[in-house]
Amino acid sequence: MPTQPPDTDQQIRLLALGGLGEIGLNLFVIEDRGALLLIDCGLMFPEARMLGVDLVLPDTSFLNERTADIRALLLTHGHEDHIGAIPFLIEKLGFPPIYGTPLTLGLLSGKLAEHGLERQVDCHTIDLRQPIDLDPFQVEFFHCAHSIADGAGLAITTSAGLVLHTGDFKLDPTPLDDQPTDTNFLAACGDAGVLLLLSDSTNVEQEGRTRSEREVGDAFRQILPGCDGRVLVATFSSNIHRIQQVVDVAISSNRKLLINGRSMLSNVAIARQLGYLRIPDNILINERDYEQLPRHRVMALTTGSQGEPMSALSRIAANEHKQLRLEPGDTVILSSKFIPGNEKAISAMINNLYRLGAEVHYEKTSEIHVSGHASRDELQEVLELTRPRYFVPVHGEYRHLAKHARLARENGVAEKNAIVLENGQPLRLSAAGAIREQVVESGRIFVDGKGIGDVGFMELRDRHHLAAHGVVTVFLVINQTSGETLFGPELMTRGFLNEEEQQDYLQAAVQEVTEMLTQHSVAALTDREEMRVEVRKTLRRYFNRTINRRPIILPIIHTM
C-alpha cells in the first residue's frame, strides 16, 4: 500500500498485449515514468480453426525496443494461461527478473528446464505482504484463493496512486489449504485509496457465489462407494487442490493410486517437493500394479479431460493406450469444465468411454467440478471493499468485460471511469483523468512444432483452403528457346478428386491447359512466372465452371 500520498500530476500508462476479449494469453503492462512492469505471460491452446497450430502466444513486438525499461515480470499464479508463454518469449523480453510464489516458480522451473533456460532466468520467490522495491514501483503480493494453490493478487504503488490487480480469484470461505483470499488486505487498500482496480471477469455472468473447492471432495466421496471396478479421474495437472482431494478419497476408499501423464507426473513431483501435496508413498502404484491388483482396489489420476487427441485419456477411450485399459464396470470422472471449443472432442471421448462399458461422471451429470473464478456477488464484494476511482476489467471475453464494467458502475464507480479496453489499446491514467491513446501493435504468435511465429494468418487461410478444397499440382516443362512443351501438362491432386475414378475429367482439365499454351507467344511461354499465372487462371475458371470447386493450384514449371 502507498506509504506517501500520490502525485496528482503524475500519469501511468496501461496496456494489455493479451487477455482482454479472450480467455488466455494474459500479459498486462503498466508504465510509470518510463519504467515497465509486466504482469503474467501466458499462452492459449489453439482453437479448432487454427489447423496444425500447437500453441498460441501473445505478440510482444511492441516491447522489442523497450526491454531495458522492463523492471520485472510478476506472476499471479501457475496456470498455463499465465506462465505458459514465458519459455518462448523470455529471451525477446530481455530476460527480466521474475517474481512469484513458491509453487508458481516451481511449475515455471520445470518449463524453463525443458527449454534449457533454467540458468538464464532470474527468479525471485516472494513473501506475501512484503513490499518489493522495483523503482519506481513498489509491489506487494497478497493471497488469492483460486483453482491452483499459491495464487496471488498484486498491490502496485505507482507515482499516480495504488493499482490493485486481483489475478484469478474467488472468495472461497473454506479453501482446501485454509487460506482464503485476503479480503482484509483489500479492505485496507480501499481505506488507503485505490486509484485503479484490475479485476478477473471470467465468471461475471454467474449469479451468486462460486461453490467451494471442498464440495468436489464431497462429490468424490458420494460416487466412490458405488464403484465396483477401477476408477479413473481426469483433471488439469496444475489443479493441486483437486489432486489432493483425489489422493484423499483414494486413501479413504482403500484404493491404490496410479499417476499417469507427463505433465501430471511433473507437477505432482514439484508440488510434493514444495509441500503443497501430501501423498503417502505406500498408496502409489505403477502400471504393472494397475493391471494385477483387484479392480476395486485401483484408482488412476491422469490428464486429458478436454479430449485432446494425443492425451492419455483419449488414447484410453480409443483403447489404444499401451498400459492402461478400461473394462465394463469401470468408472471415469472428468473433474473439469468443458472449455468452449472442446465440446465436440469431449463428447466423442465420452461416447468412446461408454463403448468400453465404463460409467462416466462429468460436469453436466455430477457435481465433480467447481470454478476457480469469482461469481457476480464476489466481484461486487471486491468492488465494495476497494472502492476504486477507476476500474478496468481483465481476464475474459468482451461481453464479460462489458458486464463487469456495468457492475462497477452499479457499485459506485463513475460512468466514465469504468473503462473496457481491448488488447493493444493504451490508457493514460492519473488522478485527474483517463485518456485512450493510439492503438499499438498486438496480436497472436503461433507455435507449430519447433517454429515460433513462422505460421501467420495467411498460412492459416491457406490451410483452411486446402482442408476445404484440396490441391492440384500441375507439372510442365517448356523448351526455353522454342516454347515447345517437353513434358506435361500433368496433373496430380490431393483432397480434390479421386484421380483413378476421375481420369476423364482431369484429362479434360489437361486439355484446357494445352489449348491455353497454344495461344501464347514464345516469349510468354518461356516466362515461367507468367505461365504460372496463366495456368492458375485457366484451371480456376475450368474447375469453377464445371464442378464449382476452388482447389489451391500449384503450377511447377521448368524451362530447359
Side-chain angles (χ1 to χ4, degrees):
M1 288 183 292
T3 56
Q4 58 186 18
D7 186 340
T8 56
D9 293 329
Q10 286 292 337
Q11 298 178 336
I12 59 173
R13 194 171 182 230
L14 314 173
L15 173 65
L17 294 176
L20 300 186
E22 59 197 1
I23 304 296
L25 292 179
N26 296 291
L27 175 54
F28 203 86
V29 184
I30 300 178
E31 180 175 1
D32 186 7
R33 288 176 283 188
L36 304 177
L37 201 60
L38 310 186
I39 301 173
D40 292 329
C41 186
L43 54 73
M44 183 171 73
F45 293 103
E47 301 166 2
R49 61 185 177 83
M50 299 175 184
L51 301 177
V53 172
D54 299 316
L55 300 170
V56 185
L57 314 176
D59 184 351
T60 59
S61 54
F62 171 75
L63 299 172
N64 287 351
E65 305 301 321
R66 301 203 57 187
T67 56
D69 298 328
I70 299 174
R71 294 292 183 268
L73 169 58
L74 311 177
L75 303 180
T76 59
H77 63 284
H79 277 152
E80 292 283 354
D81 58 334
H82 291 260
I83 69 170
I86 294 174
F88 302 95
L89 299 178
I90 193 67
E91 183 175 2
K92 292 184 178 181
L93 297 174
F95 291 103
I98 298 177
Y99 292 80
T101 55
L103 180 62
T104 301
L105 295 183
L107 296 175
L108 175 62
S109 68
K111 299 180 184 301
L112 294 174
E114 289 178 10
H115 290 75
L117 295 170
E118 66 273 24
R119 295 184 179 180
Q120 296 175 256
V121 180
D122 184 17
C123 293
H124 300 265
T125 302
I126 61 92
D127 293 319
L128 296 175
R129 301 286 301 276
Q130 293 299 310
I132 304 166
D133 186 9
L134 297 171
D135 183 50
F137 306 97
Q138 188 179 74
V139 178
E140 287 184 56
F141 285 70
F142 62 93
H143 183 74
C144 284
H146 185 40
S147 57
I148 186 172
D150 238 6
L154 305 167
I156 304 169
T157 302
T158 71
S159 60
L162 179 63
V163 176
L164 283 181
H165 190 299
T166 65
D168 286 353
F169 80 100
K170 65 179 182 178
L171 302 185
D172 189 340
T174 58
L176 206 66
D177 58 5
D178 295 319
Q179 295 185 50
T181 296
D182 195 345
T183 52
N184 290 333
F185 181 74
L186 291 173
C189 289
D191 292 340
V194 174
L195 174 71
L196 168 68
L197 173 65
L198 303 160
S199 183
D200 175 19
S201 308
T202 309
N203 262 8
V204 69
E205 294 180 319
Q206 300 298 316
E207 297 291 340
R209 306 179 78 88
T210 301
R211 293 161 45 225
S212 174
E213 176 65 28
R214 288 187 184 272
E215 295 185 29
V216 176
D218 295 338
F220 287 161
R221 284 184 283 274
Q222 292 174 9
I223 293 171
L224 262 292
C227 300
D228 297 325
R230 299 185 182 99
V231 175
L232 192 153
V233 181
T235 191
F236 293 119
S237 62
S238 60
N239 196 335
I240 304 303
H241 289 157
R242 190 72 47 86
I243 293 170
Q244 183 66 62
Q245 298 200 91
V246 173
V247 172
D248 293 344
V249 76
I251 295 171
S252 65
S253 60
N254 196 29
R255 290 177 181 261
K256 298 294 185 179
L257 182 66
L258 171 70
I259 298 175
N260 179 259
R262 186 174 63 88
S263 64
M264 184 68 75
L265 286 165
S266 174
N267 288 356
V268 166
I270 292 168
R272 290 184 78 190
Q273 181 181 358
L274 295 173
Y276 290 89
L277 269 178
R278 302 175 304 281
I279 307 178
D281 290 336
N282 62 3
I283 77 158
L284 296 175
I285 59 173
N286 57 30
E287 286 84 358
R288 183 184 301 174
D289 297 326
Y290 177 87
E291 289 294 334
Q292 295 180 351
L293 284 171
R295 290 167 57 208
H296 69 280
R297 293 287 315 284
V298 175
M299 177 180 285
L301 175 65
T302 188
T303 55
S305 61
Q306 298 304 304
E308 303 95 321
M310 297 306 296
S311 67
L313 185 56
S314 288
R315 288 183 284 125
I316 292 168
N319 209 19
E320 295 175 352
H321 198 285
K322 292 181 179 179
Q323 290 88 27
L324 306 186
R325 296 181 297 107
L326 290 176
E327 301 175 19
D330 291 344
T331 300
V332 177
I333 300 173
L334 302 182
S335 186
S336 64
K337 180 182 180 180
F338 286 21
I339 294 177
N342 295 343
E343 295 91 347
K344 287 185 178 180
I346 298 172
S347 294
M349 182 177 67
I350 291 173
N351 287 330
N352 285 338
L353 291 168
Y354 271 104
R355 287 189 179 97
L356 295 176
E359 180 65 31
V360 186
H361 296 268
Y362 50 99
E363 182 183 32
K364 296 180 181 179
T365 64
S366 305
E367 301 291 338
I368 41 72
H369 174 71
V370 298
S371 174
H373 299 272
S375 295
R376 190 175 180 84
D377 285 0
E378 296 159 89
L379 298 176
Q380 179 174 327
E381 183 175 337
V382 169
L383 284 162
E384 292 171 347
L385 288 170
T386 57
R387 305 184 299 282
R389 178 190 294 268
Y390 296 99
F391 176 75
V392 173
V394 294
H395 303 173
E397 297 179 12
Y398 193 87
R399 72 179 188 278
H400 301 138
L401 307 181
K403 291 181 179 182
H404 203 177
R406 186 186 309 157
L407 179 66
R409 296 182 189 108
E410 293 169 358
N411 286 273
V413 177
E415 178 78 20
K416 64 179 181 179
N417 290 356
I419 303 167
V420 177
L421 296 177
E422 296 194 68
N423 294 331
Q425 172 68 75
L427 182 71
R428 192 150 40 91
L429 196 67
S430 71
I435 300 173
R436 295 176 188 264
E437 296 185 338
Q438 184 175 352
V439 172
V440 304
E441 183 176 358
S442 66
R444 297 174 174 183
I445 298 173
F446 300 122
V447 177
D448 185 354
K450 293 185 177 181
I452 302 174
D454 54 358
V455 173
F457 289 103
M458 295 291 286
E459 288 76 18
L460 287 182
R461 184 199 63 183
D462 288 345
R463 290 180 181 186
H464 278 277
H465 200 144
L466 284 167
H469 303 285
V471 62
V472 175
T473 306
V474 186
F475 296 93
L476 186 61
V477 179
I478 297 173
N479 186 295
Q480 63 184 356
T481 302
S482 66
E484 177 188 358
T485 300
L486 302 178
F487 176 83
E490 181 176 299
L491 269 61
M492 293 183 63
T493 72
R494 290 292 184 270
F496 174 57
L497 290 173
N498 184 308
E499 293 184 56
E500 293 182 1
E501 296 178 1
Q502 300 291 337
Q503 277 302 318
D504 291 344
Y505 178 78
L506 293 176
Q507 190 56 45
V510 167
Q511 188 60 36
E512 291 281 328
V513 177
T514 302
E515 291 179 7
M516 178 273 293
L517 294 173
T518 65
Q519 299 168 10
H520 286 77
S521 66
V522 172
L525 290 169
T526 56
D527 185 329
R528 286 184 293 180
E529 188 56 41
E530 183 173 346
M531 279 299 98
R532 290 189 187 100
V533 171
E534 292 300 322
V535 168
R536 284 195 189 97
K537 286 168 58 177
T538 299
L539 289 178
R540 189 177 295 126
R541 284 195 298 262
Y542 177 69
F543 293 144
N544 188 58
R545 182 177 73 247
T546 55
I547 56 175
N548 194 27
R549 293 186 186 175
R550 296 178 293 110
I552 286 182
I553 299 168
L554 299 177
I556 299 177
I557 300 174
H558 294 282
T559 57
M560 58 186 300

Coordinates of all heavy atoms in Angstrom, one line a residue, residues 1-10 33 138 157-162 192-193 195 431:
M1 N 0.8 -1.2 0.0 CA 0.0 0.0 0.0 C 0.9 1.2 0.0 O 2.0 1.2 0.4 CB -0.9 0.0 1.2 CG -2.0 -1.0 1.1 SD -3.2 -1.0 2.5 CE -2.1 -1.6 3.8
P2 N 0.3 2.4 -0.5 CA 1.2 3.6 -0.6 C 1.7 4.0 0.8 O 0.9 4.0 1.8 CB 0.2 4.6 -1.2 CG -0.9 3.9 -1.7 CD -1.0 2.6 -1.0
T3 N 2.9 4.5 0.9 CA 3.5 5.0 2.1 C 3.4 6.5 2.1 O 3.7 7.1 3.2 CB 4.9 4.5 2.3 OG1 5.7 4.9 1.2 CG2 4.9 3.0 2.4
Q4 N 3.1 7.1 1.0 CA 3.0 8.5 0.9 C 1.9 8.9 -0.1 O 1.6 8.1 -1.0 CB 4.4 9.2 0.5 CG 4.9 8.7 -0.8 CD 6.3 9.2 -1.1 OE1 7.0 9.7 -0.2 NE2 6.7 9.2 -2.4
P5 N 1.4 10.1 -0.1 CA 0.3 10.4 -1.0 C 0.8 10.4 -2.4 O 1.9 10.8 -2.7 CB -0.1 11.9 -0.5 CG 0.4 12.0 0.9 CD 1.6 11.1 0.9
P6 N -0.1 10.0 -3.4 CA 0.3 10.0 -4.8 C 0.4 11.4 -5.3 O -0.2 12.4 -4.8 CB -0.8 9.3 -5.5 CG -2.0 9.5 -4.6 CD -1.5 9.5 -3.2
D7 N 1.2 11.6 -6.3 CA 1.4 12.9 -7.0 C 0.3 13.0 -8.0 O 0.2 12.3 -9.0 CB 2.7 12.9 -7.7 CG 3.0 14.3 -8.3 OD1 2.1 15.1 -8.5 OD2 4.2 14.6 -8.6
T8 N -0.6 14.0 -7.8 CA -1.8 14.1 -8.7 C -1.4 14.5 -10.1 O -2.2 14.4 -11.1 CB -2.8 15.1 -8.2 OG1 -2.2 16.3 -7.9 CG2 -3.4 14.6 -6.9
D9 N -0.2 15.0 -10.3 CA 0.3 15.4 -11.7 C 0.9 14.2 -12.4 O 1.1 14.4 -13.6 CB 1.3 16.5 -11.5 CG 0.7 17.8 -11.0 OD1 -0.5 18.0 -11.3 OD2 1.4 18.6 -10.3
Q10 N 1.2 13.2 -11.7 CA 1.8 12.0 -12.4 C 0.8 11.2 -13.1 O -0.3 11.0 -12.7 CB 2.6 11.2 -11.4 CG 3.9 11.8 -10.9 CD 4.9 11.9 -11.9 OE1 4.9 11.1 -12.9 NE2 5.9 12.8 -11.8
R33 N 6.7 6.6 -15.4 CA 8.0 7.4 -15.6 C 9.0 6.6 -16.4 O 10.2 6.6 -16.1 CB 8.6 7.7 -14.2 CG 7.7 8.8 -13.5 CD 8.3 9.1 -12.1 NE 7.9 8.1 -11.2 CZ 8.1 8.1 -9.8 NH1 8.7 9.2 -9.3 NH2 7.7 7.2 -9.0
Q138 N 6.5 0.0 -6.3 CA 6.6 -0.8 -5.1 C 5.5 -1.8 -5.1 O 4.3 -1.5 -5.4 CB 6.5 0.0 -3.8 CG 6.8 -0.8 -2.5 CD 6.8 0.1 -1.3 OE1 5.7 0.4 -0.8 NE2 7.9 0.4 -0.7
T157 N 2.2 0.1 -6.0 CA 2.2 1.5 -5.8 C 3.0 2.2 -6.9 O 4.1 1.9 -7.2 CB 2.9 1.8 -4.4 OG1 2.3 1.1 -3.4 CG2 2.9 3.3 -4.1
T158 N 2.3 3.2 -7.5 CA 2.9 4.0 -8.6 C 2.9 5.4 -8.2 O 2.3 5.8 -7.2 CB 2.0 3.8 -9.9 OG1 0.8 4.5 -9.8 CG2 1.8 2.3 -10.2
S159 N 3.5 6.2 -9.0 CA 3.6 7.7 -8.7 C 2.2 8.3 -8.7 O 2.0 9.3 -8.1 CB 4.5 8.4 -9.7 OG 4.0 8.2 -11.0
A160 N 1.3 7.7 -9.5 CA -0.1 8.3 -9.6 C -1.1 7.7 -8.6 O -2.1 8.3 -8.4 CB -0.6 8.0 -11.0
G161 N -0.7 6.6 -7.9 CA -1.6 6.1 -6.9 C -1.5 4.5 -6.9 O -0.6 3.9 -7.6
L162 N -2.4 3.9 -6.1 CA -2.3 2.5 -5.9 C -3.1 1.7 -7.0 O -4.3 2.0 -7.2 CB -2.9 2.1 -4.5 CG -2.9 0.6 -4.2 CD1 -1.5 0.0 -4.1 CD2 -3.6 0.5 -2.8
A192 N -7.1 3.1 2.2 CA -6.0 3.9 1.9 C -6.2 4.7 0.6 O -5.6 5.8 0.4 CB -4.7 3.1 1.8
G193 N -7.1 4.2 -0.3 CA -7.4 4.8 -1.5 C -6.8 4.1 -2.7 O -5.6 3.9 -2.8
L195 N -6.4 3.9 -6.7 CA -6.6 4.6 -8.0 C -7.3 3.7 -9.0 O -8.2 4.2 -9.7 CB -5.2 5.0 -8.5 CG -5.2 5.7 -9.9 CD1 -5.8 7.0 -9.9 CD2 -3.8 5.7 -10.5
A431 N -4.8 10.8 -11.5 CA -6.0 11.2 -10.6 C -6.9 12.2 -11.3 O -8.1 12.4 -10.9 CB -5.4 11.8 -9.3

